[in-house]
Amino acid sequence: DAKTTQPPSMDCAEGRAANLPCNHSTISGNEYVYWYRQIHSQGPQYIIHGLKNNETNEMASLIITEDRKSSTLILPHATLRDTAVYYCIVRAVNQAGTALIFGKGTTLSVSS
Amino acid sequence: EAQVTQNPRYLITVTGKKLTVTCSQNMNHEYMSWYRQDPGLGLRQIYYSMNVEVTDKGDVPEGYKVSRKEKRNFPLILESPSPNQTSLYFCASSSGIMYTDTQYFGPGTRLTVL
């Protein structure tokens, strides 16, 4: 079973920031938070991951709370092409290479 | 360009007719795996491979075979396909290196078994 809880759906206006929350209250000290997304029927795409510090890359920012029990993925300027299902996954360091456990994710709809 | 490729992208076949879906990656990744995706069930792992000649069952291996003779290729074999194997299939690869273990997915193969 997925160790994360995400809202089933969210809406966002094009050009605005999309903030996608994820609860992972049982996360262990050696577990990272990963975010992937899947645009309709395409292969899932890696977005970002982090342990305890906030992270930023060219796609998004990841904010992890100090107690690490929740996190937020931020798409700073959402576009129509960001419409997708977003998955928050927790994963231990020693699980490298093994199966990703996808939950139900959050369906983000970006509209103009 | 770093990528995972799958072929064919679409396939319609009949029950019992053996088929192979190919998967290839150009990133020199150690780990490769196959997932299937079904409505309401999400992505589930079928088989995975940690290196050449090393394969192991995932969560739903029944009715499938795999092989890993070369590092870059990881074909999925359905010896006798059945309608319940109609699904969307994804191949994935990763370096398996701790702290940077991101998985790269192929574009998917939509299989219909009549």
Side-chain angles (χ1 to χ4, degrees), chain A residues 32 34 36 38 40-46 49 87 91 93-104, chain B residues 31 35 37 40 42-43 45 48 59 88 90 94 96-108 110:
Chain A
Y32 280 70
Y34 282 79
Y36 283 76
Q38 186 175 23
H40 180 65
S41 293
Q42 296 181 22
Q45 177 189 24
Y46 164 79
H49 75 284
Y87 297 97
R91 189 168 169 75
V93 166
N94 61 3
Q95 289 180 310
T98 59
L100 292 171
I101 307 299
F102 289 86
K104 297 189 185 303
Chain B
Y31 291 82
Y35 294 81
Q37 185 172 30
L43 283 124
Q45 192 185 53
Y48 65 96
D59 297 322
L88 180 57
F90 293 104
S94 70
I97 298 172
M98 294 189 296
Y99 311 113
T100 60
D101 177 42
T102 59
Q103 296 205 10
Y104 296 82
F105 285 79
R110 187 169 292 280

Side-chain angles (χ1 to χ4, degrees), chain B residues 62-97:
Chain B
E62 293 77 22
Y64 304 95
K65 286 176 57 178
V66 293
S67 69
R68 189 91 182 273
K69 293 183 170 55
E70 305 167 280
K71 198 172 189 179
R72 63 182 293 127
N73 296 323
F74 190 45
L76 180 69
I77 304 157
L78 285 73
E79 295 269 4
S80 182
S82 62
N84 64 11
Q85 293 178 297
T86 292
S87 187
L88 180 57
Y89 291 86
F90 293 104
C91 180
S93 74
S94 70
S95 64
I97 298 172

Side-chain angles (χ1 to χ4, degrees), chain A:
Chain A
D1 292 333
K3 301 180 184 178
T4 63
T5 303
Q6 300 176 252
S9 63
M10 295 184 66
D11 296 318
C12 180
E14 190 176 23
R16 308 286 266 186
N19 297 284
L20 291 89
C22 179
N23 285 321
H24 31 79
S25 58
T26 60
I27 193 169
S28 302
N30 69 341
E31 288 183 318
Y32 280 70
V33 179
Y34 282 79
W35 284 83
Y36 283 76
R37 73 179 182 183
Q38 186 175 23
I39 298 170
H40 180 65
S41 293
Q42 296 181 22
Q45 177 189 24
Y46 164 79
I47 301 173
I48 198 167
H49 75 284
L51 184 62
K52 53 184 176 181
N53 297 321
N54 297 338
E55 302 287 345
T56 295
N57 63 20
E58 64 278 4
M59 289 183 69
S61 295
L62 174 61
I63 309 298
I64 302 174
T65 58
E66 193 168 342
D67 63 7
R68 303 210 321 124
K69 292 185 177 182
S70 65
S71 60
T72 301
L73 177 75
I74 301 172
L75 308 178
H77 305 286
T79 70
L80 298 178
R81 286 176 292 183
D82 292 320
T83 293
V85 180
Y86 288 76
Y87 297 97
C88 171
I89 299 168
V90 296
R91 189 168 169 75
V93 166
N94 61 3
Q95 289 180 310
T98 59
L100 292 171
I101 307 299
F102 289 86
K104 297 189 185 303
T106 296
T107 298
L108 175 67
S109 299
V110 181
S111 57
S112 56

